[in-house]
Amino acid sequence: MLSVLVFSTLLWLSLILTLRFCLKLLLSYHRWMFEQHGHISTTTKVWVTLVRLLSGRKPLLYSYQTSLPCLPVPPIKDTLERYLESVRPLLSGPEFQRMTVLAAQFENSLGNRLQRYLKLKALWATNYVSDWWEEYIYLRGRGPIMVNSNYYGMDFLYVTPTPIQAARAGNTITALLLYRRKVNSEQLTPSRVPGTVIPLCAAQCERMFNTTRTPGEGTDVLQHWQDSEFVAVYHRGRYFRLWVYKAGRLLSPREIEYQIQRILDDPSPPGPGEDRLGALTAGDRVPWCAVRKQYFSSGVNKRSLDCIERAAFFVTLDDEEQGMMGEDPVGNLDRYAKSLLHGKCYDRWFDKSFSVVVYKNGKNGLNAEHSWADAPTVAHLWEFTLATDAFQLGYTEDGHCKGEVERSLPPPQRLTWDIPVEVQEQVSISLSVAQALADDVDCHVFPFRDFGKGRIKKLKISPDAFIQLALQLAYYRDRKTFCLTYEASMTRLFREGRTETVRSCSNEGCAFVKAVESGEGPEHCRRLFRLAAEKHQNLYRLAMTGSGIDRHLFCLYVVSKYLGVESPFLTEVLSEPWRLSTSQTPVQQLELFDMKNHPDFISLGGGFGPVADDGYGVSYIIVGEDMINYHVSCKHSFSETDSHRFGAQISRALLDLLSVLSPAKTENSQAQDKKQQ
């Protein structure tokens, strides 16, 4: 019996490992992504069938993690060729020749040596990019993370489910905790490439809750706790600990609303230095580290700071009203974005993995720290939260949360502090730094309603390629030149994958923009557009499948620093500014939203600050078939950028592209359109 037990156990383990290995081999196949839509090869069809068979019927959140392939290190020759191709439209003839010589010298000397070290790392590391990317791009930054790193997500555009602040907070907090329960029990459905069975890495979900970025002298540290039964709440300069569990039971939405209302009704004033304490997380990192080490490492300050840092997440009960409302809906929408991006610079805790903001009129939103995860992961959480709040939990007729209230609940615990004068002085310094940064940000949010994904797809064009080429046309009209353009692509087809850069400003795209601006014929422009769109799609596919440019060059640069050697080529490449930084916020859970019966429940998406002082940050979300929401940011301090002007250029470019690509209508088709209208 013992022999049978041992043999059956070993056989079972061998079978599991064999199945995982086979699935890993299958998921390493990426040729399917480069096949034309509607022309799928027999190999790919067989491959899809095998992936379905080995995937299981009801996989858990992390079921695919050990079966995902490792990110491959691309050949250095290929990376350099793609890099030179990407900068060709941006450089003059002599400049391009100089860069070509630098690249050749790098490849023939230092490059191959660095490549060998990088391949060694790839042999033992789960992902040769992600740990260095997290540390050197995010955690080692010594400047403010507010605006420069953190990003935001917005509420519904047209609808506010309830005007009662405490009720909205009750449902929002409940929905977030239900999502955490799904993550912890792995009941969340694994994310996949849209329209396919291909799984995506879920590693970023692990540090979504109970996580804080703590400041250090040379580098910050991400701290994660396994569980937390409370959230930290800020209201009018006071901090509270709100227990959301009682004897292992999650409080009902109505009970959480009751507790939030207690905080709102609390008349006690802030303690000395307490009201603006959050400014320490908005300013420079080194002073915050020094103050934290000296004044928050023991006693009452440590206990209160621990409550904030160990909380599931942070909640701000804002005393302002926000949203697209009033006599100036456009301006109010812009102010709503700025409020979520930086607030008053002291009423958010920017170090938390994410902070939820609930406004006086019931509008909400969130601000997320960037080092632990990228926007699609947070967007997935926020989609679930908005949908659960509005469609699952719901509200009573008078706008309150549903459920019963246990009146014996202990009140929220007010956090106490002992803030000496030295700390208050540093708070003032950090606040002045953060306030200058916040005042410099110019934000513009606008929904583009003339057409959307549905109209673009009828032209048999990728919506993302269409939008990116419109951005190129808009930037060229705005600044009379082209620039290095960053579009974020994911590498979550690989284990612990994060992002890769798509260099959207291509030779083909520039040729199309010049043809449009010089008044070339429609047929010629359409042909150039098709070439540019296909080029963009190919660049995106290469980035997703591990053959991008920038993460490889970044890692080679890190290796050179470890070895103590200098590379003029890598130094120049990594110092090039991204004057147009773009990102699409994908809608990942359409099944949660009933767009037919509830068309007003449209998400605004989210945005981020400009990456370059003289550039633009553009985020967009494709909502349904007929709308694209844009978030544009830049800096007032650079006189040649203006978010509203650039937003107008984007709208104009979208319409111009559609007119170029749409063949002239016959009288019959025009009559049919009028009849339909």
Side-chain angles (χ1 to χ4, degrees), residues 349-388:
W349 200 267
F350 294 101
D351 286 355
K352 285 298 290 182
S353 54
F354 66 91
S355 299
V356 177
V357 184
V358 184
Y359 294 99
K360 189 177 180 180
N361 61 338
K363 217 69 184 166
N364 70 5
L366 90 166
N367 181 288
E369 200 277 318
H370 208 326
S371 64
W372 64 274
D374 301 305
T377 301
V378 177
H380 194 278
L381 162 72
W382 195 236
E383 284 176 10
F384 178 91
T385 302
L386 292 178
T388 303

Side-chain angles (χ1 to χ4, degrees), residues 486-491 498-502 540 543-544 551:
Y486 183 113
E487 182 187 4
S489 166
M490 66 170 182
T491 55
R498 292 198 58 165
T499 60
E500 177 59 275
T501 305
V502 179
Y540 206 100
M544 284 186 66
R551 299 302 179 269

Side-chain angles (χ1 to χ4, degrees), residues 25 125 155 193 226 415 419 448 596 644:
L25 286 178
D155 196 4
V193 176
Q226 285 301 310
L415 302 184
I419 311 296
F448 180 81
K596 285 188 176 182
H644 288 75

Side-chain angles (χ1 to χ4, degrees), residues 384-397:
F384 178 91
T385 302
L386 292 178
T388 303
D389 168 23
F391 301 121
Q392 302 299 322
L393 299 175
Y395 298 89
T396 61
E397 290 184 0

